[in-house]
Amino acid sequence: MNTLPVRHHLGLIGTSVWQQNTALLERLTINRDEIDRVLPELKKCLKVTELVYLSTCNRVEFLFTTTGQVHSTRILHRLIDFFFRHSKDISFFPNDFLVFQGRAAVGHLFRVASSLESVVVGETQIAGQLGEALAQSQNCGVCGPTLEDLVSKALLASKRVRRETNIGAGA
C-alpha cells in the first residue's frame, strides 16, 4: 500500500530590536538553564511537529512546522499564552511580532542566516548562533528532519554569501 508523504507547513514567529519592544524580546528569551525542559513544553503547547528556537541579543525567533494547514497567527496566540500565562505585565502590539509562513518564512530565515537582518550587516556571529540553535533543538528532541535540512541549507547559503560577495567587508 502506497502512502503519501506528510506535507509539512512552515512558519516563523519572532521579534527583534527592529520591532523596538525590548521588554517583549526579553520575555520571549528562555533561560539557558531551563531550555532543555522548556523547549519540549513549548513544542507541545504550540502543537507543532518541529521547532527550532533562536535567541540572540537582538532577536528571538521560533521556526516551526505543522502537519496540518495551521495559520501562523493561531501559533502566535499559543506562543503568547505560553510566555504570558503567569503574568500579563508587558504590553505589545501585533506589529511587535514577525509572522511568516511558507516561502516568506524560508526567505526570512535565509536573510537572518546571511546576516542581512543583523544590526551589523555582514557579521558572522548569527550563522554560529543559528547552528547552535539547531543543535540545541536537536538535543531537546523538538527538531526533526524538515527543519534540520532547512536550517542546514540556510547555513550553507550564508557561507556562500560571505564567500561570493563583499557583505562582510563592512562588518
Side-chain angles (χ1 to χ4, degrees), residues 52-154:
V52 172
Y53 167 74
L54 172 65
S55 176
T56 73
C57 59
N58 296 324
R59 72 179 59 253
V60 173
E61 296 187 353
F62 304 87
L63 179 65
F64 59 88
T65 62
T66 62
T67 53
Q69 185 90 23
V70 179
H71 199 276
S72 291
T73 54
R74 178 166 286 161
I75 306 294
L76 173 60
H77 290 276
R78 293 175 190 155
L79 187 76
I80 291 167
D81 288 345
F82 184 84
F83 283 96
F84 291 87
R85 65 182 176 247
H86 300 298
S87 169
K88 310 242 187 259
D89 61 338
I90 296 175
S91 62
F92 53 85
F93 298 96
N95 62 348
D96 288 336
F97 289 94
L98 304 165
V99 180
F100 298 105
Q101 285 190 181
R103 288 183 182 184
V106 173
H108 177 78
L109 175 66
F110 275 60
R111 285 190 311 276
V112 167
S114 300
S115 82
L116 297 175
E117 298 287 330
S118 295
V119 173
V120 178
V121 174
E123 57 86 12
T124 58
Q125 275 187 316
I126 189 65
Q129 291 166 327
L130 183 57
E132 290 171 10
L134 174 61
Q136 191 165 47
S137 295
Q138 290 168 320
N139 291 340
C140 291
V142 299
C143 185
T146 301
L147 292 184
E148 288 172 357
D149 186 50
L150 181 62
V151 172
S152 295
K153 287 180 177 167

